[in-house]
Structure formats: C-alpha cells, structure tokens
C-alpha cells in the first residue's frame, strides 16, 4: 500500500486526538467496529495527520525528522511500520 | 391525554398517549416515575396503539442489533427521522413496536402492537434502553456495561466484557459496606463538579441511585491481584469498547470519543486483575488513586 491509497482509506476510521495520541475506530459497512479500536502513539498520530493527500512519503519522512529529532533511517522505518500496521488493520 | 413523567439519570422523559388504551410501564420503571413536573422534558415519547402497515417498509438500513439466533431491532434512516423496528423476542417474526425518532433526538412516536389487554407499553424492552442511549448521545453522557459501587466517599466503576466478574466485584464491595449503584448498566454524566454514575430501570425493581464517579477499573480474573494505570488514548480505547452504542453515525462515535477523552483526563483508569475474594478491596484502596472533585 502506498501513501495515496492510505489517504483514501482514512475515511474508514473515526478518530480523536487524546493529548498527542489518537484513538481510531474502524468503520466497516457504515458500522463502527467497537471490538477493534486502535491507538496511535505520538509519532503515529503525527504521521496520520501528515497523510493529507498532498504530502509524499519523502515529505513525511522529512517532517518526522524535523519534529522528533530522529535520523532519516529511523523516520523511514517509523513510516514503513505505520503503513504495514494499517495494511493489517484494513485487510 | 394520558401522561406520565420519568426521571432517569437526571433526564426527564415525558410519556403521553391519546389512545384509550392504558399507558403502562414495565415494573422496573415504577420507582423512576415523578409527578408534578412542569418544566420542558428532555425527550417526549408519544405512544400510539397499533402499527400502520406503511411503517413496515424497510428502506435505508443503518444498523441491525442481532446475534446468530435472533434479531433484536433494526434502525433505518428516513428523510427527517430514524425508524427503529423492534422485534418480539418471544416470537421473532413479529414486530413488537416501530419507533420514529426525530433528527433532533427530542421526540419519539412509538407505535405499539395492539393486544387484547388494551394496554400500551411504549418503553417495553428493549426500547427503554434504546431511548436512554439516544438521550446520552444528545447530552453530555454515556451508557456503559459496568457495575458501580459507592462507599459514601468514593464511587468506583468496574467494566469489562461479559464474564469478567463485574457482578462478582460489586458483590465483594457490597460485603465491605459499599452500596451497589447497579451491576450491569450505568449512565455516566458530566456536570460542573465532575462526573456522576446513575442506575437505569432494569427488569427488576430498584430505586433510582446516583453517586459520584472517582475511578474506573477494567477488570479480569487473575490468580493474583494486579493493577496497572492506563492513560491517554489507551484508556479511552479500552473504555470505548464497553460503551453501549449503535455505531452507525459518525457524530455519535465522535460524541463518545470526546466524552471519554475528557473523562480519562479527569478520572483515574486502571487495568485490574483480581482474585474473586475480599482481598481485592484493600488492594484497590492501597494501590489506586481515586480523584475527588
């Protein structure tokens, strides 16, 4: 899954910020699935916000490195872990 | 016009009927009846005897409450209202009631199946809890699968999936002098001072009860008593799973998320493993912090 596909799938979740984290409620066939509610930590929540239909993966990696004082390699892994996690959730 | 008022969790419900049939309630509602109420109610329920055929049409299905064995109720979207078809639990092919709720969630028309008793019972189970649910999403409240106890100082809620020991836990606290608010279903309300928990009418008779809410415990059976504080998004997500809700409307889901994020910001939430004996009472008192407002 690439970042554009993930952006399109964001509408499959209701979400709310809780501090710097997020709670995500998956919605299938217009019904919220209350048995599979997910949370995102601060980095995950930041990535979620950056997936806006305009930012590329490189843009998001750069934004992560600027925001969290981590190197590019770690930021790339954070983003790829995030995408992998969502592939599992959505599938 | 037959009229009755109920006060449930501080919500005032006006029941009215123009029918000649007697307006009745299941016995669990009796202690919640109030008299001489003159202000505007929070919700009005118009009870109507008989179900017109045109209401049996099933278009724009939003939500079905059912399990493998039976269908409890189905919710349909109409132009300016919701339609809820409630099935008779003793005769699953029969419609027990059809309830129409306006978009503002302030007024119901409840069409009830006619029967030989010439009585009309608009809040016949499960419509009573459904009405309460829509009151919670209209106002600053949630309805939760949980037991709640109050020891005259601290209000505690124990929640979790079926079989985790909610009733067992509240019974243990009762043995040590706490009052059980309810051991199955609670409404939590936010007010100026903090949060309160309320019981709701059940299939048995119990008086209306209210207590402050000071801490929440998500429980499970364990060989040893254990406790772990939950914070932030994790606390919200864990409690959300036990809220009573019809998750077809994003506004309702957002309402719950918003309410719980404020709640978890102000009330301590714990994951608790417990041995089903009296040792858990002191264990919780020693290890958990209850926030008092």
């Amino acid at each position: 899954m690439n970042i554009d596909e993930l952006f399109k799938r964001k509408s499959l979740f209701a979400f709310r910020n809780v501090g710097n984290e997020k709670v995500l409620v998956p919605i299938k066939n217009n019904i919220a699935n209350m048995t599979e509610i997910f949370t995102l930590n601060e980095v995950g929540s930041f990535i979620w916000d950056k997936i806006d239909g305009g930012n590329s993966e490189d843009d998001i990696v750069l934004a992560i490195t600027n925001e969290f004082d981590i190197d590019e390699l770690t930021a790339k892994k954070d983003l790829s872990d995030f995408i992998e996690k969502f592939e599992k959730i959505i599938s | 016009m037959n009229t009755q008022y109920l006060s449930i969790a501080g919500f005032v419900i006006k029941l009215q009927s123009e029918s000649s049939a007697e307006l009745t309630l299941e016995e669990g509602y009796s202690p919640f009846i109030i008299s001489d109420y003159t202000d505007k109610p929070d919700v009005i329920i118009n009870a109507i005897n008989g179900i017109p055929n045109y209401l049996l049409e099933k278009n724009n299905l939003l939500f079905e409450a059912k399990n493998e064995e039976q269908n409890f109720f189905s919710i349909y979207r109409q132009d300016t209202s919701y339609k809820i078809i409630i099935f008779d639990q003793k005769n699953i092919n029969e419609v027990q009631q059809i309830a129409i709720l306006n978009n503002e969630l302030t007024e119901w028309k409840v069409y009830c199946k006619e029967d030989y008793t010439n009585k009309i019972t608009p809040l016949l189970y499960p419509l009573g809890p459904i009405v309460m649910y829509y009151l919670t999403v209209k106002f600053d409240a949630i309805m939760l699968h949980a037991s709640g106890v109050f020891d005259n100082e601290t209000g505690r809620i124990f929640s979790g999936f079926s079989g985790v020991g909610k009733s067992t836990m509240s019974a243990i606290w009762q043995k040590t002098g706490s009052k059980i608010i309810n051991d199955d279903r609670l409404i939590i309300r936010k007010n100026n001072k903090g949060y309160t928990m309320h019981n709701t009418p059940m299939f048995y008779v119990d008086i209306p009860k209210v207590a402050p809410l000071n801490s929440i415990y998500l429980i499970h059976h364990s060989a040893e008593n254990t406790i772990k504080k939950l914070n932030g998004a994790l606390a919200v997500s864990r409690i959300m799973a036990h809220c009573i809700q019809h998750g077809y409307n994003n506004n309702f889901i957002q309402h719950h998320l918003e309410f719980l994020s404020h709640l978890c910001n102000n009330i301590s939430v714990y994951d608790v493993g417990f041995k089903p004996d009296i040792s858990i009472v002191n264990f919780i008192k020693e290890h958990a912090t209850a926030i008092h407002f």
Side-chain angles (χ1 to χ4, degrees):
Chain A
M1 180 179 291
N2 64 36
I3 212 77
D4 292 329
E5 287 168 357
L6 213 161
F7 172 67
K8 289 174 191 164
R9 304 288 187 95
K10 280 179 79 173
S11 64
L12 297 176
F13 295 86
F15 66 93
R16 179 171 175 86
N17 294 325
V18 181
N20 292 326
E21 304 170 313
K22 271 188 179 58
V23 180
L24 303 185
V25 181
I27 297 172
K28 267 187 185 169
N29 301 321
N30 291 322
I31 305 291
N33 185 349
M34 297 302 169
T35 60
E36 290 184 17
I37 300 172
F38 300 94
T39 59
L40 296 178
N41 63 16
E42 189 175 358
V43 177
S45 180
F46 180 83
I47 293 171
W48 176 272
D49 290 336
K50 290 294 172 193
I51 299 172
D52 60 1
N55 285 321
S56 67
E57 291 192 24
D58 288 342
D59 294 334
I60 295 172
V61 168
L62 180 63
I64 295 170
T65 58
N66 289 337
E67 182 73 16
F68 294 101
D69 193 25
I70 55 179
D71 61 47
E72 186 181 339
L73 200 62
T74 307
K76 277 186 176 172
K77 182 165 188 326
D78 283 344
L79 180 57
S80 101
D81 287 349
F82 181 94
I83 293 171
E84 189 180 325
K85 179 179 178 179
F86 267 85
E87 279 180 332
K88 284 181 186 166
I89 291 171
I90 292 166
S91 63
Chain B
M1 175 82 80
N2 300 315
T3 304
Q4 280 187 327
Y5 288 94
L6 297 168
S7 177
I8 298 171
F11 297 121
V12 174
I13 300 169
K14 181 181 183 182
L15 300 169
Q16 57 188 24
S17 170
E18 292 182 350
S19 165
S20 59
E22 183 187 354
L23 187 61
T24 63
L25 292 159
E26 291 174 307
E27 63 174 353
Y29 287 83
S30 302
F32 293 82
I33 295 172
I34 56 172
S35 55
D36 300 329
Y37 188 79
T38 54
D39 288 345
K40 189 180 172 195
D42 293 305
V43 67
I44 296 171
I45 296 173
N46 298 289
I48 299 149
N49 203 13
I51 299 174
N53 280 337
Y54 73 88
L55 284 178
L56 293 168
E57 283 182 18
K58 297 173 180 176
N59 296 321
N60 301 322
L61 177 69
L62 292 174
F63 179 81
E64 284 183 300
K66 64 180 181 180
N67 60 24
E68 288 174 358
E69 292 163 5
Q70 59 190 148
N71 197 348
F72 298 100
F73 60 90
S74 304
I75 303 176
Y76 300 86
R77 189 75 175 113
Q78 303 193 132
D79 286 343
T80 57
S81 60
Y82 298 96
K83 177 167 78 177
I84 304 177
I85 298 182
I86 297 130
F87 297 96
D88 187 331
Q89 298 310 299
K90 292 172 189 159
N91 187 352
I92 57 171
N93 294 319
E94 273 205 39
V95 172
Q96 169 180 294
Q97 291 158 308
I98 294 184
I100 309 294
L101 172 62
N102 66 351
N103 269 349
E104 295 74 32
L105 314 181
T106 55
E107 188 154 358
W108 294 77
K109 286 181 183 170
V110 180
Y111 297 85
C112 305
K113 185 172 68 176
E114 285 182 278
D115 68 14
Y116 65 92
T117 62
N118 202 33
K119 290 180 178 175
I120 187 167
T121 313
L123 295 182
L124 189 62
Y125 186 85
L127 190 57
I130 293 171
V131 167
M132 288 175 241
Y133 166 75
Y134 284 96
L135 275 166
T136 65
V137 294
K138 170 79 177 171
F139 295 96
D140 221 351
I142 57 165
M143 193 153 57
L144 191 66
H145 284 297
S147 63
V149 297
F150 180 55
D151 64 3
N152 290 324
E153 191 175 303
T154 300
R156 298 178 174 89
I157 277 181
F158 305 102
S159 189
F161 293 109
S162 293
V164 297
K166 296 188 286 291
S167 297
T168 303
M169 183 69 105
S170 58
I172 291 170
W173 283 79
Q174 188 180 37
K175 283 181 188 168
T176 65
S178 288
K179 177 171 79 172
I180 297 178
I181 304 303
N182 190 258
D183 69 355
D184 182 61
R185 181 176 69 212
L186 295 164
I187 285 179
I188 302 173
R189 295 199 67 175
K190 184 173 183 290
N191 57 40
N192 293 336
K193 293 180 182 173
Y195 293 87
T196 48
M197 59 171 141
H198 305 253
N199 68 334
T200 63
M202 304 297 288
F203 62 89
Y204 53 85
V205 175
D206 194 7
I207 59 170
K209 293 175 186 167
V210 58
L213 172 58
N214 305 108
S215 53
I216 296 175
Y217 304 89
L218 298 161
I219 60 172
H220 53 91
H221 288 293
S222 171
E224 297 296 329
N225 293 328
T226 62
I227 190 164
K228 182 183 173 189
K229 194 164 191 306
L230 302 174
N231 295 304
L234 181 59
V236 171
S237 67
R238 290 282 305 276
I239 300 175
M240 184 85 171
H242 307 301
C243 286
I244 296 167
Q245 52 194 314
H246 311 156
Y248 62 83
N249 182 317
N250 195 44
N251 291 336
F252 298 167
I253 299 163
Q254 289 296 343
H255 164 278
H256 278 64
L257 287 170
E258 185 176 344
F259 185 94
L260 290 177
S261 63
H262 285 287
L263 178 75
C264 294
N265 210 25
N266 289 284
I267 300 271
S268 298
V269 181
Y270 296 91
D271 178 284
V272 166
F274 79 105
K275 291 190 295 179
D277 63 39
I278 210 159
S279 66
I280 188 62
V281 173
N282 280 336
F283 182 83
I284 282 179
K285 285 183 176 177
E286 285 169 12
H287 292 87
T289 305
I291 307 296
H292 291 83
F293 296 95

